[in-house]
Amino acid sequence: MWQPATERLQHFQTMLKTKLNVLTLRKEPLPTVIFHEPEAIELCTTTPLMKTRTHTGCKVTYLGKVSTTGMQFLSGCTEKPVIELWKKHTLTREDVYPANALLEIRPFQVWLHHLDLKGEATVHMDTFQVARIAYCTADHNISPNIFAWVYREINDDLSYQMDCHAVECESKLEAKKLAHAMMEAFKKTFHSMKSDGRIHRNSSSEEVSHEFESDDG
């Protein structure tokens, strides 16, 4: 059917307007999606980064270490080293000395997390192998809050030395708990080494752990 040019032009304009309206209506929800989508993505990626790693353990004041001599470690063998460390500590400490470390005793390792001035754990950590710990005790005359252990430190030339490490706990009970936890860690380490064949199967945990001391109070 033939239509005048003016009618065909009007029909074309009407169709064009209709299509533009449809396109406009379809585009209306887009700004909402574009606005909210990046916000949701940002929350998903940044929220886990805000979580800080927490450490379990006992807050202590690390007194340091001092070399000790001898191979037989009996009751009272840590008294002299602890007195030396305690005197050095009391000369430099203030009236209120905050905890500077977290002591975490695990089945095969002991972790000493050092704390910053805000009391938060730093990346610096000392690791002690439970199998190299020769003696531990929470029984000291100078202070009942002190827990100490003798550790066999292996040097670069494969020689070794025995070092006495000591920490001051918040209470006598905390020091005792550390001693008991160390005993449990030693027993687990011993049974693991025995099952792996690294310790003679006729040996017992009591024979190997006679050097350890735990103050039950």
Side-chain angles (χ1 to χ4, degrees):
M1 180 179 177
W2 180 85
Q3 291 180 329
T6 55
E7 291 182 4
R8 283 184 290 174
L9 180 60
Q10 290 177 356
H11 179 69
F12 177 76
Q13 291 176 344
T14 302
M15 291 179 61
L16 182 61
K17 181 183 288 188
T18 303
K19 290 183 178 181
L20 287 174
N21 288 336
V22 172
L23 291 174
T24 303
L25 289 173
R26 288 179 179 175
K27 285 187 176 181
E28 280 181 0
L30 291 179
T32 304
V33 176
I34 293 173
F35 179 79
H36 287 288
E37 189 65 21
E39 197 173 46
I41 294 173
E42 183 179 0
L43 287 174
C44 293
T45 55
T46 57
T47 301
L49 297 177
M50 296 173 63
K51 295 180 180 179
T52 56
R53 184 180 177 183
T54 57
H55 301 282
T56 58
C58 179
K59 276 193 173 184
V60 297
T61 301
Y62 182 58
L63 304 180
K65 68 176 181 178
V66 62
S67 296
T68 183
T69 57
M71 293 300 296
Q72 294 294 327
F73 300 100
L74 304 175
S75 179
C77 67
T78 59
E79 196 68 40
K80 184 177 179 181
V82 165
I83 290 176
E84 182 179 345
L85 292 171
W86 180 259
K87 287 182 177 180
K88 291 180 180 179
H89 172 65
T90 53
L91 289 175
T92 58
R93 65 180 280 176
E94 301 175 356
D95 293 338
V96 180
Y97 196 86
N100 60 11
L102 273 175
L103 188 63
E104 186 176 358
I105 299 177
R106 304 173 67 86
F108 303 102
Q109 291 182 334
V110 176
W111 294 348
L112 186 67
H113 305 275
H114 295 274
L115 306 179
D116 57 19
L117 296 177
K118 295 180 180 180
E120 298 178 355
T122 64
V123 294
H124 182 45
M125 180 183 73
D126 293 327
T127 303
F128 304 91
Q129 303 298 327
V130 173
R132 295 186 193 171
I133 296 176
Y135 183 87
C136 74
T137 181
D139 184 16
H140 296 95
N141 295 327
I142 195 168
S143 174
N145 298 355
I146 294 180
F147 171 69
W149 66 96
V150 178
Y151 186 71
R152 182 166 57 92
E153 186 71 43
I154 298 179
N155 302 317
D156 295 336
D157 59 356
L158 299 183
S159 63
Y160 69 89
Q161 63 187 44
M162 307 303 291
D163 293 332
C164 178
H165 298 259
V167 295
E168 181 187 11
C169 305
E170 294 180 351
S171 64
K172 179 180 179 180
L173 179 61
E174 291 296 325
K176 288 183 178 180
K177 287 181 179 179
L178 288 177
H180 290 309
M182 188 75 83
M183 274 296 297
E184 291 300 319
F186 176 77
K187 289 178 181 178
K188 291 180 180 179
T189 301
F190 168 79
H191 289 302
S192 176
M193 295 176 67
K194 187 176 180 180
S195 62
D196 292 343
R198 287 179 287 173
I199 294 180
H200 197 278
R201 291 188 176 274
N202 292 332
S203 300
S204 65
S205 59
E206 288 76 14
E207 291 174 349
V208 179
S209 63
H210 76 279
E211 294 177 337
F212 279 68
E213 179 180 348
S214 177
D215 182 12
D216 294 332

